[in-house]
Amino acid sequence: MVKIRLRFIFVLFFSVWAKAFSQIGFPYCETFTSGSTLESTVFGADAQLVDGVLRLTSNQSNQRGYVYIDIPFSSVFGIKASFEYFSYGGNGADGLTLFLFDAETPVFNPGGFGGSLGYAQRSNESGLSNAYLGIGFDEFGNFGNSSEGRNGGFLGVGETRVPDAIVIRGPGSGSTGYPFVVGRRTMATGNDGLRPDNQFPISSGGPGTSRVTDRNLPGYRKVFLDLQPNTVGTGFFLQVLMEVTTRVNEPMLITIFDRPYDFPAPKNLKIGFSASTGGQTNFHEIRNLLVEVSNDEALEEPKGVDFEDKASCEGQENTYFITDEEVVLPNPNSVIRCLQFYGSLEDIEAETGDVCSQGRCKEENRELILPQGTFRAGSDGGDFTFSPNLGFRDQEVTVYYTITDTYGKTSAGNAMTLLIQESPDPVKLLLENETSLVEEIRLCAGEEIKLEATGEEVYERFEWYKDGELITGATTSTYQVNSGGEYEVRVYNRKNCPSISNSVKVEYPAYPSGIIQNPTVGCTPGQTVDVTISISGYDTEKYDYQLSGLGKVWLNDEMKSISQTGNYELKIKEKDLDCYSDPFPVEVIILTKILEVDFEFEVQGTGITGDADGGIFPDDVIQFSDLSDEEAVSWSWNFGDGSSSTDQNPAHVFGKRGEYEIELIINNELGCESRITKMVSITRSYRLMIPTGFTPTLEENKTFIPKYKGLTEIELLIFTTWGELIFKTADLNTIGWDGTLEGKLLDAGVFVYRFDGTSTDGEKISEAGKFNLIR
């Protein structure tokens, strides 16, 4: 039987623009001056956006921070980058690096910090993942030496610091590589230094100084990097320039490096920065980062085309695609990165002078609202939508667009004209011969239904979809459904404009496996058992249950009173359906006799069970013996003193006097349980027996020694009848008095003893009396 759920709906013929566009490719313009960054800007560790800059470290000890642009650039065309950096406010350490690494690196990890500035290896720290180039702006002076396991340094310095230096290190991975390539001392002269009038410190100031952002003030620093592909060899031709101000209103442009960098480059690279502090500190910050293709002259602008053959449907969102094949993309491996829309060609020309505006897919240009409707660029390169407003049927709308490729090259602008056509009347998806809309239809296995598309006009074409996928061959107004999924139909009028129906979810409920835990056991003979406790997720509000066996049938809660051992079958169905599941086997076992439990105990090996037998002492080992039913398979003992055992016949020492309730719980293999308790009374803490005589000339009974148990301290004194002390001991292990005095055996006679002791629970004992020495 088919069950349906009713709902009230209305159909909207537009969708909400939800995807945010993220930049891919170059030029990449990241100012760091707002409260957020572009999606492809990744920073971590101590790096944070602060006050219009990206702060890689604060002026605190042992800081480390990094940032990289998660966009590859082709080594074929090289790269240009410029950025401002600010190093100030501390006592001068350590510095920052600009680095390049292989774009195919699956997991990014910065290098060793401290003197390695997040690029090179450092002691047991690995270097930057798959590094290609590191340019270090080194304040403290360790990036240019071989300390901490770094590979090479300035000529002849060894591990000596070289402060105020700009150092290039080469490729590396893990703990190998990152060699010193070349360095420039910015506060020294000579072959690796600068002219005196060009010298400058890497940091702009010490403790208490602030960030210098005005290029006309001393302390301002800006870096220009250009990696031009080497046309006659491997690697690049590297140029590093710096704009530096050391005197008011006199900024200088200084060449730091202008030389080959002849290491073979990976196919694609990515760019990033890192900085660190150690025992000495500085703020390290960057701002206004611009990354471009170096060999820009070798790149050409893409060319769009004018489109006049596109139509749109009134009152709904229409989706279009400009493919890479429809336009001209002259640059190698280039694709359409984005579309931008404008109201006129003049609006396009107004932006061509700004490299960031031209190369970046600006969010404000990705949506254009006109009286006739709204154009929105998509997120997949050449896709876009147009949502015509009502009232412009059979009119044309013209919009101007540009395409930007992977390298940031943008076309000059082209026109696109769309005809706004009539949309069909709404279509409803109904169950055949029904008039009410349904949201969900639930069926039993093997059942089928027929869905029908109905509306107020004659439709020219039908497309049926299941779970968003087109159903091949389904082209009529009805569709026979025999599998679960979410269905909808799209109908088209004579102008090929679509209308999309409501969706109908068809479900064939699946019944769970392993629903019953067998067997269901009754541990009390003659009593009924509740089978429902063995059913996983038992829920009579959602399901109906049927148990059958022994010629009877029980429904739902009737299964809580099953009185006979046997094999049964359980079926389940959902409340709103009439079809039961395949049967699940159910086994019911009800015991025919009670599981008997019993035990006994004694002082181990003595037969003593209590005071009548001489009493149990705290340090006696009590042996417990199980006397329970042979069907028991597990035993759980609770000795009443916080200790327990799972042995069948355990032994236990209680350690002090008291009344102890002993509980034994047994289980059989079906999980049935029986229990019993008995009391163990420990009333005595010690035992003392004093002999009446001894015979020192015989092998047996040759010393006078009291027999005792449960004492922790003793003192034995022996006197003559005149009161003379002739023997004394406090040794717990003493053999007693052997009848001698000063080495000579005394004559037979009567002697006097006094015995003092302390029991295990602190009780004091004192006994005195006479005994005989017999010869």
Side-chain angles (χ1 to χ4, degrees), residues 529-561:
V529 296
D530 182 358
V531 171
T532 66
I533 63 175
S534 299
I535 300 174
S536 176
Y538 181 74
D539 183 358
T540 54
E541 291 187 1
K542 184 176 181 181
Y543 299 105
D544 281 328
Y545 302 84
Q546 182 188 90
L547 183 70
S548 60
L550 306 179
K552 297 181 180 179
V553 175
W554 296 264
L555 298 176
N556 296 337
D557 287 349
E558 294 174 357
M559 298 185 298
K560 293 184 176 182
S561 299

PDB file of all heavy atoms in Angstrom, residues 529-561:
ATOM      1  N   VAL A 529       8.836 -14.647  30.159  1.00  0.00           N
ATOM      2  CA  VAL A 529       9.958 -13.784  29.804  1.00  0.00           C
ATOM      3  C   VAL A 529       9.468 -12.688  28.857  1.00  0.00           C
ATOM      4  O   VAL A 529       8.449 -12.830  28.177  1.00  0.00           O
ATOM      5  CB  VAL A 529      11.092 -14.577  29.138  1.00  0.00           C
ATOM      6  CG1 VAL A 529      11.664 -15.585  30.101  1.00  0.00           C
ATOM      7  CG2 VAL A 529      10.627 -15.254  27.861  1.00  0.00           C
ATOM      8  N   ASP A 530      10.241 -11.591  28.831  1.00  0.00           N
ATOM      9  CA  ASP A 530       9.928 -10.426  27.991  1.00  0.00           C
ATOM     10  C   ASP A 530      10.861 -10.436  26.792  1.00  0.00           C
ATOM     11  O   ASP A 530      12.049 -10.109  26.902  1.00  0.00           O
ATOM     12  CB  ASP A 530      10.112  -9.145  28.810  1.00  0.00           C
ATOM     13  CG  ASP A 530       9.764  -7.886  28.029  1.00  0.00           C
ATOM     14  OD1 ASP A 530       9.423  -8.000  26.834  1.00  0.00           O
ATOM     15  OD2 ASP A 530       9.848  -6.785  28.613  1.00  0.00           O
ATOM     16  N   VAL A 531      10.346 -10.827  25.632  1.00  0.00           N
ATOM     17  CA  VAL A 531      11.168 -10.883  24.418  1.00  0.00           C
ATOM     18  C   VAL A 531      11.556  -9.487  23.942  1.00  0.00           C
ATOM     19  O   VAL A 531      12.597  -9.295  23.312  1.00  0.00           O
ATOM     20  CB  VAL A 531      10.419 -11.662  23.314  1.00  0.00           C
ATOM     21  CG1 VAL A 531      11.149 -11.559  21.979  1.00  0.00           C
ATOM     22  CG2 VAL A 531      10.262 -13.123  23.713  1.00  0.00           C
ATOM     23  N   THR A 532      10.763  -8.468  24.259  1.00  0.00           N
ATOM     24  CA  THR A 532      11.034  -7.121  23.727  1.00  0.00           C
ATOM     25  C   THR A 532      12.365  -6.554  24.222  1.00  0.00           C
ATOM     26  O   THR A 532      12.951  -5.710  23.556  1.00  0.00           O
ATOM     27  CB  THR A 532       9.907  -6.145  24.083  1.00  0.00           C
ATOM     28  OG1 THR A 532       9.878  -5.944  25.506  1.00  0.00           O
ATOM     29  CG2 THR A 532       8.566  -6.671  23.629  1.00  0.00           C
ATOM     30  N   ILE A 533      12.853  -7.031  25.400  1.00  0.00           N
ATOM     31  CA  ILE A 533      14.118  -6.497  25.900  1.00  0.00           C
ATOM     32  C   ILE A 533      15.287  -6.988  25.055  1.00  0.00           C
ATOM     33  O   ILE A 533      16.381  -6.431  25.132  1.00  0.00           O
ATOM     34  CB  ILE A 533      14.339  -6.872  27.382  1.00  0.00           C
ATOM     35  CG1 ILE A 533      14.437  -8.386  27.539  1.00  0.00           C
ATOM     36  CG2 ILE A 533      13.245  -6.295  28.255  1.00  0.00           C
ATOM     37  CD1 ILE A 533      14.784  -8.829  28.955  1.00  0.00           C
ATOM     38  N   SER A 534      15.073  -8.018  24.236  1.00  0.00           N
ATOM     39  CA  SER A 534      16.127  -8.536  23.363  1.00  0.00           C
ATOM     40  C   SER A 534      16.064  -7.920  21.971  1.00  0.00           C
ATOM     41  O   SER A 534      16.877  -8.265  21.110  1.00  0.00           O
ATOM     42  CB  SER A 534      16.016 -10.060  23.254  1.00  0.00           C
ATOM     43  OG  SER A 534      16.165 -10.669  24.517  1.00  0.00           O
ATOM     44  N   ILE A 535      15.104  -7.010  21.717  1.00  0.00           N
ATOM     45  CA  ILE A 535      14.955  -6.388  20.399  1.00  0.00           C
ATOM     46  C   ILE A 535      15.650  -5.035  20.420  1.00  0.00           C
ATOM     47  O   ILE A 535      15.304  -4.147  21.206  1.00  0.00           O
ATOM     48  CB  ILE A 535      13.468  -6.226  20.025  1.00  0.00           C
ATOM     49  CG1 ILE A 535      12.780  -7.592  19.982  1.00  0.00           C
ATOM     50  CG2 ILE A 535      13.329  -5.513  18.686  1.00  0.00           C
ATOM     51  CD1 ILE A 535      11.287  -7.521  19.755  1.00  0.00           C
ATOM     52  N   SER A 536      16.657  -4.875  19.571  1.00  0.00           N
ATOM     53  CA  SER A 536      17.396  -3.624  19.514  1.00  0.00           C
ATOM     54  C   SER A 536      16.489  -2.500  19.011  1.00  0.00           C
ATOM     55  O   SER A 536      15.838  -2.616  17.977  1.00  0.00           O
ATOM     56  CB  SER A 536      18.599  -3.794  18.578  1.00  0.00           C
ATOM     57  OG  SER A 536      19.286  -2.574  18.418  1.00  0.00           O
ATOM     58  N   GLY A 537      16.449  -1.376  19.745  1.00  0.00           N
ATOM     59  CA  GLY A 537      15.672  -0.207  19.338  1.00  0.00           C
ATOM     60  C   GLY A 537      14.172  -0.439  19.323  1.00  0.00           C
ATOM     61  O   GLY A 537      13.464   0.141  18.489  1.00  0.00           O
ATOM     62  N   TYR A 538      13.679  -1.270  20.231  1.00  0.00           N
ATOM     63  CA  TYR A 538      12.238  -1.574  20.286  1.00  0.00           C
ATOM     64  C   TYR A 538      11.437  -0.276  20.433  1.00  0.00           C
ATOM     65  O   TYR A 538      11.648   0.505  21.359  1.00  0.00           O
ATOM     66  CB  TYR A 538      11.964  -2.517  21.452  1.00  0.00           C
ATOM     67  CG  TYR A 538      10.508  -2.916  21.598  1.00  0.00           C
ATOM     68  CD1 TYR A 538       9.937  -3.821  20.708  1.00  0.00           C
ATOM     69  CD2 TYR A 538       9.724  -2.415  22.630  1.00  0.00           C
ATOM     70  CE1 TYR A 538       8.604  -4.209  20.838  1.00  0.00           C
ATOM     71  CE2 TYR A 538       8.393  -2.791  22.776  1.00  0.00           C
ATOM     72  CZ  TYR A 538       7.838  -3.687  21.867  1.00  0.00           C
ATOM     73  OH  TYR A 538       6.525  -4.067  22.003  1.00  0.00           O
ATOM     74  N   ASP A 539      10.533  -0.016  19.469  1.00  0.00           N
ATOM     75  CA  ASP A 539       9.819   1.264  19.417  1.00  0.00           C
ATOM     76  C   ASP A 539       8.455   1.033  18.769  1.00  0.00           C
ATOM     77  O   ASP A 539       8.337   0.952  17.544  1.00  0.00           O
ATOM     78  CB  ASP A 539      10.636   2.284  18.620  1.00  0.00           C
ATOM     79  CG  ASP A 539       9.989   3.668  18.582  1.00  0.00           C
ATOM     80  OD1 ASP A 539       8.890   3.825  19.146  1.00  0.00           O
ATOM     81  OD2 ASP A 539      10.594   4.578  17.974  1.00  0.00           O
ATOM     82  N   THR A 540       7.416   0.919  19.590  1.00  0.00           N
ATOM     83  CA  THR A 540       6.079   0.638  19.062  1.00  0.00           C
ATOM     84  C   THR A 540       5.404   1.878  18.494  1.00  0.00           C
ATOM     85  O   THR A 540       4.322   1.769  17.901  1.00  0.00           O
ATOM     86  CB  THR A 540       5.187   0.030  20.160  1.00  0.00           C
ATOM     87  OG1 THR A 540       5.180   0.905  21.308  1.00  0.00           O
ATOM     88  CG2 THR A 540       5.697  -1.335  20.576  1.00  0.00           C
ATOM     89  N   GLU A 541       6.021   3.056  18.669  1.00  0.00           N
ATOM     90  CA  GLU A 541       5.474   4.249  18.015  1.00  0.00           C
ATOM     91  C   GLU A 541       5.865   4.291  16.545  1.00  0.00           C
ATOM     92  O   GLU A 541       5.140   4.837  15.724  1.00  0.00           O
ATOM     93  CB  GLU A 541       5.963   5.512  18.724  1.00  0.00           C
ATOM     94  CG  GLU A 541       5.381   5.680  20.119  1.00  0.00           C
ATOM     95  CD  GLU A 541       5.749   7.029  20.718  1.00  0.00           C
ATOM     96  OE1 GLU A 541       6.429   7.809  20.022  1.00  0.00           O
ATOM     97  OE2 GLU A 541       5.358   7.294  21.864  1.00  0.00           O
ATOM     98  N   LYS A 542       7.003   3.686  16.201  1.00  0.00           N
ATOM     99  CA  LYS A 542       7.480   3.698  14.827  1.00  0.00           C
ATOM    100  C   LYS A 542       7.235   2.373  14.107  1.00  0.00           C
ATOM    101  O   LYS A 542       6.979   2.349  12.905  1.00  0.00           O
ATOM    102  CB  LYS A 542       8.972   4.015  14.809  1.00  0.00           C
ATOM    103  CG  LYS A 542       9.556   4.146  13.414  1.00  0.00           C
ATOM    104  CD  LYS A 542      11.034   4.556  13.459  1.00  0.00           C
ATOM    105  CE  LYS A 542      11.602   4.699  12.049  1.00  0.00           C
ATOM    106  NZ  LYS A 542      13.042   5.068  12.074  1.00  0.00           N
ATOM    107  N   TYR A 543       7.299   1.257  14.841  1.00  0.00           N
ATOM    108  CA  TYR A 543       7.219  -0.064  14.226  1.00  0.00           C
ATOM    109  C   TYR A 543       6.087  -0.892  14.832  1.00  0.00           C
ATOM    110  O   TYR A 543       5.661  -0.657  15.968  1.00  0.00           O
ATOM    111  CB  TYR A 543       8.535  -0.834  14.428  1.00  0.00           C
ATOM    112  CG  TYR A 543       9.750  -0.192  13.817  1.00  0.00           C
ATOM    113  CD1 TYR A 543      10.692   0.446  14.608  1.00  0.00           C
ATOM    114  CD2 TYR A 543       9.966  -0.246  12.440  1.00  0.00           C
ATOM    115  CE1 TYR A 543      11.826   1.028  14.050  1.00  0.00           C
ATOM    116  CE2 TYR A 543      11.094   0.330  11.876  1.00  0.00           C
ATOM    117  CZ  TYR A 543      12.016   0.974  12.684  1.00  0.00           C
ATOM    118  OH  TYR A 543      13.127   1.551  12.130  1.00  0.00           O
ATOM    119  N   ASP A 544       5.627  -1.874  14.066  1.00  0.00           N
ATOM    120  CA  ASP A 544       4.788  -2.969  14.562  1.00  0.00           C
ATOM    121  C   ASP A 544       5.616  -4.239  14.528  1.00  0.00           C
ATOM    122  O   ASP A 544       6.418  -4.462  13.602  1.00  0.00           O
ATOM    123  CB  ASP A 544       3.547  -3.146  13.680  1.00  0.00           C
ATOM    124  CG  ASP A 544       2.470  -2.114  13.977  1.00  0.00           C
ATOM    125  OD1 ASP A 544       2.371  -1.687  15.145  1.00  0.00           O
ATOM    126  OD2 ASP A 544       1.754  -1.723  13.039  1.00  0.00           O
ATOM    127  N   TYR A 545       5.430  -5.082  15.560  1.00  0.00           N
ATOM    128  CA  TYR A 545       6.193  -6.317  15.692  1.00  0.00           C
ATOM    129  C   TYR A 545       5.232  -7.500  15.751  1.00  0.00           C
ATOM    130  O   TYR A 545       4.136  -7.410  16.336  1.00  0.00           O
ATOM    131  CB  TYR A 545       7.042  -6.301  16.965  1.00  0.00           C
ATOM    132  CG  TYR A 545       8.002  -5.138  17.044  1.00  0.00           C
ATOM    133  CD1 TYR A 545       7.598  -3.885  17.522  1.00  0.00           C
ATOM    134  CD2 TYR A 545       9.324  -5.276  16.639  1.00  0.00           C
ATOM    135  CE1 TYR A 545       8.479  -2.816  17.602  1.00  0.00           C
ATOM    136  CE2 TYR A 545      10.218  -4.212  16.717  1.00  0.00           C
ATOM    137  CZ  TYR A 545       9.786  -2.992  17.195  1.00  0.00           C
ATOM    138  OH  TYR A 545      10.654  -1.935  17.272  1.00  0.00           O
ATOM    139  N   GLN A 546       5.669  -8.614  15.190  1.00  0.00           N
ATOM    140  CA  GLN A 546       4.854  -9.832  15.204  1.00  0.00           C
ATOM    141  C   GLN A 546       5.765 -11.020  15.520  1.00  0.00           C
ATOM    142  O   GLN A 546       6.725 -11.295  14.804  1.00  0.00           O
ATOM    143  CB  GLN A 546       4.181 -10.043  13.843  1.00  0.00           C
ATOM    144  CG  GLN A 546       3.273 -11.267  13.778  1.00  0.00           C
ATOM    145  CD  GLN A 546       2.791 -11.527  12.368  1.00  0.00           C
ATOM    146  OE1 GLN A 546       3.434 -12.257  11.607  1.00  0.00           O
ATOM    147  NE2 GLN A 546       1.674 -10.906  12.008  1.00  0.00           N
ATOM    148  N   LEU A 547       5.441 -11.724  16.633  1.00  0.00           N
ATOM    149  CA  LEU A 547       6.188 -12.909  17.031  1.00  0.00           C
ATOM    150  C   LEU A 547       5.283 -14.124  16.845  1.00  0.00           C
ATOM    151  O   LEU A 547       4.140 -14.129  17.299  1.00  0.00           O
ATOM    152  CB  LEU A 547       6.621 -12.805  18.494  1.00  0.00           C
ATOM    153  CG  LEU A 547       7.483 -13.946  19.037  1.00  0.00           C
ATOM    154  CD1 LEU A 547       8.881 -13.900  18.409  1.00  0.00           C
ATOM    155  CD2 LEU A 547       7.587 -13.883  20.555  1.00  0.00           C
ATOM    156  N   SER A 548       5.801 -15.154  16.184  1.00  0.00           N
ATOM    157  CA  SER A 548       5.002 -16.354  15.953  1.00  0.00           C
ATOM    158  C   SER A 548       5.809 -17.592  16.317  1.00  0.00           C
ATOM    159  O   SER A 548       7.037 -17.619  16.178  1.00  0.00           O
ATOM    160  CB  SER A 548       4.538 -16.426  14.492  1.00  0.00           C
ATOM    161  OG  SER A 548       5.654 -16.448  13.619  1.00  0.00           O
ATOM    162  N   GLY A 549       5.088 -18.640  16.766  1.00  0.00           N
ATOM    163  CA  GLY A 549       5.741 -19.889  17.112  1.00  0.00           C
ATOM    164  C   GLY A 549       4.846 -20.727  17.997  1.00  0.00           C
ATOM    165  O   GLY A 549       3.952 -20.205  18.703  1.00  0.00           O
ATOM    166  N   LEU A 550       5.069 -22.027  17.979  1.00  0.00           N
ATOM    167  CA  LEU A 550       4.286 -22.963  18.793  1.00  0.00           C
ATOM    168  C   LEU A 550       2.788 -22.811  18.520  1.00  0.00           C
ATOM    169  O   LEU A 550       1.951 -22.965  19.427  1.00  0.00           O
ATOM    170  CB  LEU A 550       4.580 -22.772  20.289  1.00  0.00           C
ATOM    171  CG  LEU A 550       6.068 -22.836  20.695  1.00  0.00           C
ATOM    172  CD1 LEU A 550       6.201 -22.612  22.199  1.00  0.00           C
ATOM    173  CD2 LEU A 550       6.697 -24.140  20.275  1.00  0.00           C
ATOM    174  N   GLY A 551       2.460 -22.420  17.262  1.00  0.00           N
ATOM    175  CA  GLY A 551       1.056 -22.309  16.878  1.00  0.00           C
ATOM    176  C   GLY A 551       0.368 -21.041  17.335  1.00  0.00           C
ATOM    177  O   GLY A 551      -0.865 -20.948  17.223  1.00  0.00           O
ATOM    178  N   LYS A 552       1.125 -20.041  17.808  1.00  0.00           N
ATOM    179  CA  LYS A 552       0.513 -18.810  18.308  1.00  0.00           C
ATOM    180  C   LYS A 552       1.183 -17.593  17.679  1.00  0.00           C
ATOM    181  O   LYS A 552       2.274 -17.685  17.114  1.00  0.00           O
ATOM    182  CB  LYS A 552       0.642 -18.730  19.835  1.00  0.00           C
ATOM    183  CG  LYS A 552      -0.085 -19.833  20.584  1.00  0.00           C
ATOM    184  CD  LYS A 552       0.083 -19.653  22.087  1.00  0.00           C
ATOM    185  CE  LYS A 552      -0.631 -20.741  22.880  1.00  0.00           C
ATOM    186  NZ  LYS A 552      -0.460 -20.575  24.336  1.00  0.00           N
ATOM    187  N   VAL A 553       0.511 -16.416  17.812  1.00  0.00           N
ATOM    188  CA  VAL A 553       1.035 -15.141  17.317  1.00  0.00           C
ATOM    189  C   VAL A 553       0.888 -14.103  18.412  1.00  0.00           C
ATOM    190  O   VAL A 553      -0.179 -14.002  19.049  1.00  0.00           O
ATOM    191  CB  VAL A 553       0.293 -14.676  16.039  1.00  0.00           C
ATOM    192  CG1 VAL A 553       0.786 -13.294  15.625  1.00  0.00           C
ATOM    193  CG2 VAL A 553       0.500 -15.670  14.905  1.00  0.00           C
ATOM    194  N   TRP A 554       1.947 -13.330  18.644  1.00  0.00           N
ATOM    195  CA  TRP A 554       1.924 -12.239  19.620  1.00  0.00           C
ATOM    196  C   TRP A 554       2.281 -10.939  18.910  1.00  0.00           C
ATOM    197  O   TRP A 554       3.193 -10.916  18.067  1.00  0.00           O
ATOM    198  CB  TRP A 554       2.950 -12.486  20.728  1.00  0.00           C
ATOM    199  CG  TRP A 554       2.697 -13.690  21.578  1.00  0.00           C
ATOM    200  CD1 TRP A 554       2.078 -13.735  22.776  1.00  0.00           C
ATOM    201  CD2 TRP A 554       3.107 -15.034  21.289  1.00  0.00           C
ATOM    202  NE1 TRP A 554       2.045 -15.020  23.263  1.00  0.00           N
ATOM    203  CE2 TRP A 554       2.665 -15.847  22.377  1.00  0.00           C
ATOM    204  CE3 TRP A 554       3.755 -15.647  20.218  1.00  0.00           C
ATOM    205  CZ2 TRP A 554       2.877 -17.221  22.424  1.00  0.00           C
ATOM    206  CZ3 TRP A 554       3.967 -17.012  20.269  1.00  0.00           C
ATOM    207  CH2 TRP A 554       3.539 -17.787  21.349  1.00  0.00           C
ATOM    208  N   LEU A 555       1.597  -9.841  19.222  1.00  0.00           N
ATOM    209  CA  LEU A 555       1.830  -8.544  18.597  1.00  0.00           C
ATOM    210  C   LEU A 555       2.355  -7.548  19.631  1.00  0.00           C
ATOM    211  O   LEU A 555       1.808  -7.458  20.743  1.00  0.00           O
ATOM    212  CB  LEU A 555       0.558  -7.994  17.967  1.00  0.00           C
ATOM    213  CG  LEU A 555      -0.064  -8.820  16.835  1.00  0.00           C
ATOM    214  CD1 LEU A 555      -1.374  -8.187  16.377  1.00  0.00           C
ATOM    215  CD2 LEU A 555       0.910  -8.937  15.658  1.00  0.00           C
ATOM    216  N   ASN A 556       3.398  -6.828  19.259  1.00  0.00           N
ATOM    217  CA  ASN A 556       3.928  -5.718  20.047  1.00  0.00           C
ATOM    218  C   ASN A 556       4.127  -6.105  21.506  1.00  0.00           C
ATOM    219  O   ASN A 556       4.826  -7.057  21.817  1.00  0.00           O
ATOM    220  CB  ASN A 556       3.065  -4.477  19.868  1.00  0.00           C
ATOM    221  CG  ASN A 556       3.094  -3.968  18.434  1.00  0.00           C
ATOM    222  OD1 ASN A 556       4.041  -4.251  17.686  1.00  0.00           O
ATOM    223  ND2 ASN A 556       2.068  -3.252  18.016  1.00  0.00           N
ATOM    224  N   ASP A 557       3.474  -5.398  22.454  1.00  0.00           N
ATOM    225  CA  ASP A 557       3.727  -5.626  23.876  1.00  0.00           C
ATOM    226  C   ASP A 557       3.212  -6.968  24.377  1.00  0.00           C
ATOM    227  O   ASP A 557       3.507  -7.348  25.526  1.00  0.00           O
ATOM    228  CB  ASP A 557       3.122  -4.491  24.714  1.00  0.00           C
ATOM    229  CG  ASP A 557       3.913  -3.200  24.591  1.00  0.00           C
ATOM    230  OD1 ASP A 557       5.029  -3.242  24.027  1.00  0.00           O
ATOM    231  OD2 ASP A 557       3.435  -2.146  25.050  1.00  0.00           O
ATOM    232  N   GLU A 558       2.436  -7.703  23.563  1.00  0.00           N
ATOM    233  CA  GLU A 558       2.073  -9.067  23.952  1.00  0.00           C
ATOM    234  C   GLU A 558       3.319  -9.944  24.064  1.00  0.00           C
ATOM    235  O   GLU A 558       3.293 -10.968  24.777  1.00  0.00           O
ATOM    236  CB  GLU A 558       1.112  -9.679  22.917  1.00  0.00           C
ATOM    237  CG  GLU A 558      -0.248  -8.993  22.864  1.00  0.00           C
ATOM    238  CD  GLU A 558      -1.122  -9.509  21.737  1.00  0.00           C
ATOM    239  OE1 GLU A 558      -0.656 -10.372  20.958  1.00  0.00           O
ATOM    240  OE2 GLU A 558      -2.280  -9.053  21.638  1.00  0.00           O
ATOM    241  N   MET A 559       4.407  -9.539  23.416  1.00  0.00           N
ATOM    242  CA  MET A 559       5.647 -10.316  23.455  1.00  0.00           C
ATOM    243  C   MET A 559       6.364 -10.199  24.795  1.00  0.00           C
ATOM    244  O   MET A 559       7.391 -10.837  25.003  1.00  0.00           O
ATOM    245  CB  MET A 559       6.591  -9.847  22.336  1.00  0.00           C
ATOM    246  CG  MET A 559       6.029 -10.039  20.936  1.00  0.00           C
ATOM    247  SD  MET A 559       7.225  -9.615  19.635  1.00  0.00           S
ATOM    248  CE  MET A 559       7.505  -7.892  19.974  1.00  0.00           C
ATOM    249  N   LYS A 560       5.828  -9.401  25.705  1.00  0.00           N
ATOM    250  CA  LYS A 560       6.446  -9.256  27.024  1.00  0.00           C
ATOM    251  C   LYS A 560       6.106 -10.402  27.959  1.00  0.00           C
ATOM    252  O   LYS A 560       6.641 -10.455  29.078  1.00  0.00           O
ATOM    253  CB  LYS A 560       6.031  -7.918  27.649  1.00  0.00           C
ATOM    254  CG  LYS A 560       6.593  -6.707  26.909  1.00  0.00           C
ATOM    255  CD  LYS A 560       6.246  -5.410  27.608  1.00  0.00           C
ATOM    256  CE  LYS A 560       6.904  -4.216  26.899  1.00  0.00           C
ATOM    257  NZ  LYS A 560       6.623  -2.947  27.581  1.00  0.00           N
ATOM    258  N   SER A 561       5.247 -11.329  27.532  1.00  0.00           N
ATOM    259  CA  SER A 561       4.839 -12.442  28.406  1.00  0.00           C
ATOM    260  C   SER A 561       4.856 -13.750  27.609  1.00  0.00           C
ATOM    261  O   SER A 561       3.804 -14.292  27.240  1.00  0.00           O
ATOM    262  CB  SER A 561       3.443 -12.190  28.990  1.00  0.00           C
ATOM    263  OG  SER A 561       3.415 -11.013  29.764  1.00  0.00           O
TER     264      SER A 561
END
